[in-house]
């Protein structure tokens, strides 16, 4: 299928927690084709030096679409399989490369992302906010009247909604999906360590795809980006809840070896009840004890020894006592932290069961997955603020800070809450206390997904 469509579908599947590879490898179990016959796919496999194609399920795109609708892999029934004699299999012929099912929510996310790539933060936030508002509306929007009185519905947003209501889709979002710059930036930024700045540089150098970047001898990669390319397929496939639970055990066991009374908490999306994420975030603190700047180093040293550490970048704390909270909405905090890639060993498949084990067997030579892990060390007195900040979502955090600033004359960040009227720091031992300081009802983590 066309490049844009393929990228869109791969991204969609990954966001739903499916594991999608861009190239044929030993871990591939299902191959999906569109507008290719069974024989053509076999031919292609031969070209990839695959002798035994029975290792794979060869499927039509309709199987993929069914999976996306169900949110899980559906059975590979006969009707989805590519077969020799069957010339009448349900092959779709898309009119455009871009799928027609871009829902309004997708349209806003695409628009927001495109503005992010253009470093237009204001417009990007506008579409992100609109997407958040619309996602959680308790009713479907069918007429422009439905959005009357809603917050975050500026003119740019209204134009897009109007078009979707009239035409069924957004021509602007579609244009973005076909835009060369957007397509390149989307690819570039999918690599760990590559942001908009690096993407801009590569794009200016005339590079358009990750293959071109890899092939270009003049491109200098940072240590982080090298790891990003090395573990690309693993990192781009989302982390499941089960994987997060497994890593949680590893992290806790390691921390407890050095600090038995430590408090280790999963934060980020998994604390908000999400089933998948792009990384796993941890907060580590210890009641009573003085700050121990060695702990993080001891943890990664042990993982190194155990062969579990694929990459790590430790950032030392830059927090100074009684420092006023940052007014910047998206400021990084000053905790000591570590951005790591961990090697999560996965249990071998049990060969005795049915045909599903056939698929798993093939990944025999690689029974681990590279997983992005963030470890954040916080002083105990700041733990509640760190927990609130690192639980997110990013959008929720931004709104909470704006609320503190504009409605309460307070400054909130991941370290503290400062009351500007009383000129004092407000202590909090729990998230509940922070909400109380702000005069808000407590909001559970799973209600913070906006
Ligand atoms: N955060 C923060 N300061 C940072 C980075 C992140 O306060 N320097 C907050 C914002 C959200 C939360 O931490 C977790 O960040 P992510 O891992 O980027 O997001 P997520 O919600 O966990 O989603 P994902 O599933 O993509 O990991
Ligand atoms: Mg996360």
């Amino acid at each position: 299928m066309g490049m844009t469509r393929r990228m869109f579908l791969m991204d969609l599947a990954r966001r739903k927690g499916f594991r999608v590879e861009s190239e044929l490898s030993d871990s591939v179990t299902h191959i999906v084709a569109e507008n290719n016959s069974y024989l053509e796919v076999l031919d292609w496999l031969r070209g990839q030096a695959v002798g035994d194609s029975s290792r794979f399920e060869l499927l039509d795109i309709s199987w993929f679409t069914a999976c996306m609708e169900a949110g899980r892999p559906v059975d590979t029934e006969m009707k989805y399989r590519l077969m020799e004699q069957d010339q009448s299999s349900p092959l779709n012929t898309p009119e455009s490369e871009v799928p027609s099912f871009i829902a309004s929510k997708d349209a806003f996310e695409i628009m927001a992302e495109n503005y992010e790539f253009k470093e237009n933060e204001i417009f990007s936030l506008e579409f992100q906010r609109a997407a958040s508002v619309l996602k959680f509306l308790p009713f479907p929007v069918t007429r422009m009247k439905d959005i009357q009185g809603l917050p975050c519905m500026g003119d740019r947003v209204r134009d897009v909604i109007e078009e979707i209501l009239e035409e069924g889709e957004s021509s602007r979002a579609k244009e973005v999906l076909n835009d060369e710059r957007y397509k390149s930036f989307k690819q570039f930024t999918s690599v760990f360590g590559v942001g908009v700045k690096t993407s801009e540089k590569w794009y200016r150098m005339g590079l358009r795809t990750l293959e071109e970047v890899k092939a270009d001898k003049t491109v200098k990669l940072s240590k982080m980006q090298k790891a990003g390319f090395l573990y690309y397929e693993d990192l781009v496939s989302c982390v499941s809840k089960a994987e997060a639970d497994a890593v949680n055990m590893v992290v806790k066991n390691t921390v407890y070896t050095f600090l038995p009374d430590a408090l280790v908490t999963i934060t980020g999306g998994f604390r908000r009840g999400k089933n998948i994420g792009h990384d796993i975030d941890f907060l580590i603190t210890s009641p009573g004890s003085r700050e121990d700047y060695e702990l993080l180093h001891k943890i990664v040293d042990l993982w190194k020894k155990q062969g579990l550490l694929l990459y790590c970048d430790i950032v030392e704390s830059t927090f100074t006592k009684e420092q006023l909270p940052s007014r910047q909405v998206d400021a990084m905090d000053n905790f000591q932290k570590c951005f790591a890639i961990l090697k999560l060993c996965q249990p071998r498949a049990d060969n005795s069961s049915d045909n599903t084990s056939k698929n798993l067997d093939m990944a025999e030579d690689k029974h681990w997955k590279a997983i992005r892990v963030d470890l954040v060390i916080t002083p105990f007195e700041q733990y509640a603020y760190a927990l609130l900040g690192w639980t997110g979502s990013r959008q929720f955090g931004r709104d909470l800070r704006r609320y503190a600033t504009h409605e309460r004359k307070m400054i909130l960040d991941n370290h503290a809450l400062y009351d500007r009227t009383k000129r004092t720091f407000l202590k909090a031992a729990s998230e509940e206390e922070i909400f109380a300081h702000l005069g808000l009802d407590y909001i559970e983590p799973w209600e913070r997904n906006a």
Side-chain angles (χ1 to χ4, degrees):
M1 65 186 74
M3 165 84 164
T4 310
R5 181 164 165 84
R6 197 176 128 194
M7 267 176 50
F8 179 88
L9 294 178
M10 287 186 1
D11 196 42
L12 183 74
R14 280 168 180 155
R15 276 190 279 131
K16 287 181 185 282
F18 288 80
R19 182 140 186 211
V20 192
E21 309 257 332
S22 14
E23 277 156 41
L24 193 62
S25 76
D26 284 346
S27 55
V28 170
T29 53
H30 298 60
I31 297 179
V32 175
E34 183 169 58
N35 297 329
N36 287 111
S37 69
Y38 175 70
L39 290 176
E40 282 171 324
V41 174
L42 277 195
D43 214 39
W44 176 80
L45 278 171
R46 254 177 247 126
Q48 304 285 312
V50 171
D52 177 19
S53 60
S54 67
R55 285 166 37 186
F56 306 109
E57 300 261 18
L58 305 183
L59 299 154
D60 180 69
I61 187 73
S62 55
W63 172 75
F64 180 94
T65 316
C67 292
M68 291 307 104
E69 273 166 22
R72 57 174 174 78
V74 299
D75 288 343
T76 52
E77 288 169 43
M78 270 316 204
K79 64 177 178 186
Y80 297 130
R81 286 191 210 155
L82 295 180
M83 273 173 297
E84 195 157 3
Q85 45 314 41
D86 188 8
Q87 298 302 323
S88 60
S89 66
L91 300 180
N92 303 338
T93 30
E95 301 206 325
S96 132
E97 275 214 344
V98 173
S100 56
F101 56 84
I102 311 174
S104 52
K105 175 175 79 65
D106 298 315
F108 292 119
E109 275 163 15
I110 292 161
M111 297 293 287
E113 195 171 35
N114 191 42
Y115 282 123
E116 203 179 313
F117 292 163
K118 293 186 167 171
E119 294 186 75
N120 185 335
E121 201 192 340
I122 294 176
F123 285 13
S124 176
L125 280 175
E126 196 175 298
F127 278 100
Q128 281 177 48
R129 289 204 189 99
S132 273
V133 170
L134 294 172
K135 215 187 296 193
F136 288 93
L137 275 188
F139 54 85
V141 173
T142 55
R143 302 158 305 168
M144 286 310 276
K145 262 188 90 176
D146 294 339
I147 61 165
Q148 244 175 33
L150 289 180
C152 312
M153 298 289 133
D155 287 345
R156 265 176 298 275
V157 169
R158 297 176 69 89
D159 284 351
V160 172
I161 297 180
E162 193 158 12
E163 198 190 357
I164 292 174
L165 290 179
E166 280 168 15
E167 311 291 333
E169 60 186 19
S170 159
S171 60
R172 247 164 273 166
K174 241 172 139 164
E175 261 165 41
V176 170
L177 278 181
N178 276 318
D179 178 61
E180 191 175 25
R181 191 173 180 280
Y182 173 84
K183 285 195 277 190
S184 297
F185 273 57
K186 180 89 186 151
Q187 280 190 58
F188 296 162
T189 54
S190 70
V191 179
F192 171 55
V194 179
V196 175
K197 291 272 183 304
T198 305
S199 302
E200 185 77 53
K201 196 166 83 191
W202 291 349
Y203 194 78
R204 289 225 182 117
M205 288 168 71
L207 302 169
R208 295 293 177 265
T209 64
L210 290 179
E211 281 64 38
E212 288 172 14
V213 173
K214 276 190 263 184
D216 192 311
K217 292 280 177 292
T218 65
V219 170
K220 274 258 171 292
L221 296 177
S222 68
K223 191 177 145 232
M224 200 182 223
Q225 291 159 352
K226 276 183 196 152
F229 275 107
L230 199 53
Y231 306 112
Y232 183 78
E233 292 296 346
D234 277 0
L235 297 184
V236 88
S237 81
C238 292
V239 180
S240 69
K241 179 75 175 61
E243 286 162 345
D245 290 341
V247 171
N248 193 10
M249 293 274 284
V250 174
V251 173
K252 282 192 166 145
N253 283 338
T254 313
V255 176
Y256 296 158
T257 334
F258 301 112
L259 204 66
D261 70 341
L263 205 59
V264 180
T265 316
I266 283 208
T267 61
F270 288 108
R271 182 156 186 262
R272 301 196 308 275
K274 281 182 29 175
N275 285 321
I276 57 163
H278 94 282
D279 66 358
I280 316 172
D281 309 287
F282 289 92
L283 219 57
I284 302 168
T285 191
S286 159
S289 76
R290 295 278 314 137
E291 259 162 88
D292 176 4
Y293 295 106
E294 287 309 305
L295 178 64
L296 199 49
H297 295 271
K298 288 183 201 156
I299 295 171
V300 300
D301 284 346
L302 183 59
W303 284 345
K304 260 183 221 160
K305 263 194 221 126
Q306 295 172 328
L308 295 180
L309 196 74
L310 299 171
Y311 169 86
C312 123
D313 173 21
I314 292 187
V315 182
E316 294 301 334
S317 165
T318 52
F319 186 77
T320 50
K321 232 177 164 11
E322 296 292 291
Q323 161 183 334
L324 279 191
S326 167
R327 285 162 186 269
Q328 257 177 298
V329 169
D330 267 328
M332 280 286 262
D333 56 45
N334 303 294
F335 295 119
Q336 185 194 32
K337 53 176 88 69
C338 161
F339 306 105
I341 302 177
L342 218 59
K343 182 173 182 174
L344 176 66
C345 296
Q346 291 163 331
R348 295 274 180 134
D350 172 10
N351 291 348
S352 61
S353 61
D354 62 349
N355 60 10
T356 53
S357 64
K358 180 186 81 184
N359 295 329
L360 293 166
D361 278 353
M362 296 179 325
E364 218 159 36
D365 48 348
K366 182 175 176 283
H367 47 91
W368 54 273
K369 183 177 168 187
I371 306 234
R372 272 274 301 112
V373 173
D374 286 346
L375 303 181
V376 181
I377 311 278
T378 81
F380 192 63
E381 324 80 71
Q382 299 179 8
Y383 175 74
Y385 288 102
L387 183 62
L388 180 62
W390 275 88
T391 298
S393 67
R394 234 166 253 275
Q395 191 62 41
F396 180 84
R398 280 190 200 113
D399 283 349
L400 207 57
R401 285 181 197 203
R402 286 201 311 162
Y403 177 83
T405 306
H406 298 296
E407 308 289 330
R408 296 276 147 182
K409 274 196 173 347
M410 292 178 184
I411 321 173
L412 171 70
D413 72 1
N414 287 2
H415 298 271
L417 179 64
Y418 181 76
D419 187 326
R420 290 173 55 216
T421 320
K422 295 185 189 144
R423 299 193 183 178
T424 51
F425 284 92
L426 303 174
K427 288 198 165 53
S430 64
E431 287 181 315
E432 281 84 347
E433 288 178 28
I434 305 175
F435 281 95
H437 284 319
L438 290 169
L440 293 171
D441 286 339
Y442 180 64
I443 299 174
E444 296 284 357
W446 47 94
E447 291 171 330
R448 302 180 203 164
N449 280 308

